[in-house]
């Protein structure tokens, strides 16, 4: 009953969220092109809000659920063999998670499946949501690491052969990055995943969670991304980050109703980055 109610409520929330809908429509037009039929983007925005509302409802309802016997009733796992094979090599695995509505489920799926894991994330401004995220992760076997001067710690856990949950599909100027093509347009993209792979030899494996129409989920683990080395045999940070962006873009194009389009992924450019760095140097916010 709660899912039914929140499904209805999500449509009204979408209609009231004018700023978010404008960002979504702008992103739709930029990436997907003109509407193919009347109401296409309106219906797509409703579906995205619905997926977010229903998934968040499950987060709350299942907050105390911890064991795999429970989650196995609602989750189908595809491609675990890719994770298993990379994990056995003992060099660590960078789990490249996409921000589909079930991204927090993606984050704790590897430890639920028995792989020693940690996750790196930025602190959420809302304290209650931040604590909810940490609880969801740590009570299910995944250590949470706040993204703040933690690089050496991340290198160490990968060298120990662990999985590291990492997300790079959002714009964040306070993280070291470069402007690299994402879904056809330059977007400021963190390069930490490529740096970690370069320094440790860890495998990079894309993974994501899809919410199904029957209120179940599918957790998809894709094949390992093949690392790219230039003519001198050096691991190319920029090109490998582009390969990661391409993998995430393909996931979004295949499941357009399962990504957070209200995020301003293409908001910044080299000029806004320059201004941000100058302000930070002066100690301004």
């Amino acid at each position: 009953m709660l899912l039914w109610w929140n499904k209805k409520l999500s449509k009204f929330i979408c209609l009231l969220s004018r700023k978010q809908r404008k960002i979504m429509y702008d992103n739709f037009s930029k990436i997907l092109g003109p509407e193919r039929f009347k109401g296409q983007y309106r219906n797509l925005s409703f579906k995205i809000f619905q997926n977010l509302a229903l998934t968040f409802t499950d987060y709350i309802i299942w907050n105390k659920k911890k064991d795999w016997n429970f989650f196995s009733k609602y989750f189908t796992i595809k491609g675990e063999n890719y994770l298993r094979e990379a994990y056995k090599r003992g060099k660590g695995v960078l789990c490249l998670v996409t921000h589909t509505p079930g991204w927090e489920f993606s984050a704790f799926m590897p430890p639920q499946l028995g792989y020693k894991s940690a996750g790196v994330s930025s602190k959420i401004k809302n304290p209650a949501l931040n604590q909810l995220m940490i609880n969801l992760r740590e009570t299910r076997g995944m250590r949470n690491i706040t993204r703040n001067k933690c690089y050496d710690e991340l290198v160490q856990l990968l060298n120990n052969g662990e999985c590291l949950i990492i997300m790079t599909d959002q714009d964040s100027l306070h993280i070291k990055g470069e402007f690299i093509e994402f879904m056809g347009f330059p977007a400021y993209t963190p390069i930490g995943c490529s740096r970690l792979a370069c320094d440790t030899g860890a495998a990079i494996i894309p993974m994501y969670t899809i919410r199904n129409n029957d209120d179940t989920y599918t957790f998809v683990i894709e094949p390992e991304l093949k690392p790219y080395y230039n003519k001198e045999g050096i691991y190319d940070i920029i090109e490998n980050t582009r390969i990661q962006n391409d993998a995430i873009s393909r996931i979004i194009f295949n499941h357009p109703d399962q990504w957070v389009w209200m995020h301003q992924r293409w908001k910044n450019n080299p000029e806004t980055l320059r201004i941000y760095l100058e302000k930070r140097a002066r100690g301004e916010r």
Side-chain angles (χ1 to χ4, degrees):
M1 288 296 293
L2 186 58
L3 287 174
W4 178 87
W5 169 252
N6 284 352
K7 182 177 180 179
K8 299 294 184 182
L9 185 61
S10 66
K11 185 174 182 178
F12 292 102
I13 294 174
C14 182
L15 290 171
L16 292 172
S17 304
R18 294 182 179 180
K19 180 180 178 180
Q20 283 69 34
R21 278 194 295 118
K22 184 181 185 309
I23 294 171
M24 293 171 76
Y25 287 7
D26 289 344
N27 284 340
F28 293 155
S29 298
K30 181 184 184 75
I31 304 303
L32 303 179
E35 286 188 302
R36 289 175 293 172
F37 52 86
K38 186 177 180 180
Q40 175 194 2
Y41 290 158
R42 188 169 182 264
N43 293 335
L44 182 55
S45 64
F46 285 159
K47 183 64 175 178
I48 292 167
F49 266 78
Q50 174 185 304
N51 282 330
L52 285 167
L54 297 181
T55 303
F56 186 73
T57 302
D58 286 339
Y59 286 156
I60 301 300
I61 294 175
W62 296 344
N63 187 38
K64 302 299 182 181
K65 304 297 183 182
K66 300 177 183 180
D67 68 278
W68 177 242
N69 288 332
F70 172 81
F71 286 107
S72 64
K73 301 174 185 177
Y74 298 96
F75 285 80
T76 298
I77 311 299
K78 292 186 177 181
E80 188 189 352
N81 56 301
Y82 300 123
L83 177 57
R84 186 187 309 114
E85 291 166 5
Y87 190 81
K88 285 181 179 179
R89 296 204 294 265
K91 292 187 176 182
V93 180
L94 286 153
C95 302
L96 188 64
V97 170
T98 306
H99 275 93
T100 57
W103 71 81
E104 283 303 322
F105 289 137
S106 297
F108 68 70
M109 273 297 117
Q112 281 286 307
L113 294 172
Y115 303 93
K116 191 172 182 180
S117 307
V120 58
S121 63
S122 298
K123 188 175 182 180
I124 299 175
K125 292 181 181 179
N126 185 306
L129 287 178
N130 189 67
Q131 192 58 48
L132 174 63
M133 177 194 72
I134 293 174
N135 288 342
L136 279 168
R137 293 181 173 190
E138 294 191 339
T139 57
R140 291 161 181 81
M142 188 186 78
R143 181 160 52 100
N144 187 75
I145 301 172
T146 301
R147 185 185 276 114
N148 184 22
K149 297 181 180 180
C150 62
Y151 190 80
D152 290 342
E153 183 179 0
L154 302 182
V155 169
Q156 184 59 53
L157 72 86
L158 288 171
N159 285 336
N160 290 339
E162 298 182 36
C163 290
L164 175 63
I165 312 300
I166 192 166
M167 304 178 189
T168 64
D169 60 340
Q170 292 198 337
D171 183 294
S172 185
L173 291 182
H174 69 277
I175 300 172
K176 178 67 175 176
E178 298 286 346
F179 288 95
I180 301 171
E181 188 173 285
F182 183 76
M183 288 198 277
F185 293 89
Y188 191 74
T189 305
I191 60 174
C193 186
S194 294
R195 288 182 59 207
L196 287 166
C198 177
D199 290 343
T200 65
I204 300 177
I205 298 183
M207 53 187 68
Y208 58 99
T209 297
I210 294 299
R211 184 181 179 86
N212 304 315
N213 291 328
D214 62 354
D215 294 326
T216 64
Y217 295 88
T218 301
F219 179 56
V220 182
I221 304 171
E222 295 205 333
E224 177 182 348
L225 298 180
K226 185 178 179 180
Y228 175 83
Y229 297 87
N230 62 22
K231 294 180 180 179
E232 288 73 36
I234 299 173
Y235 188 94
D236 191 315
I237 297 292
I238 302 301
E239 181 62 19
N240 279 285
T241 304
R242 185 193 65 76
I243 292 171
Q244 296 156 33
N245 275 358
D246 287 349
I248 296 172
S249 297
R250 185 182 66 255
I251 292 168
I252 297 169
F253 282 131
N254 288 338
H255 307 281
D257 63 336
Q258 300 275 343
W259 191 63
V260 288
W261 288 91
M262 65 284 293
H263 173 67
Q264 293 178 294
R265 184 67 183 92
W266 298 270
K267 175 182 179 180
N268 288 298
N269 54 53
E271 179 61 17
T272 59
L273 174 62
R274 181 188 64 79
I275 294 171
Y276 169 80
L277 293 176
E278 288 178 354
K279 286 185 176 181
R280 190 173 69 174
R282 296 194 298 266
E284 301 176 14
R285 292 187 65 180

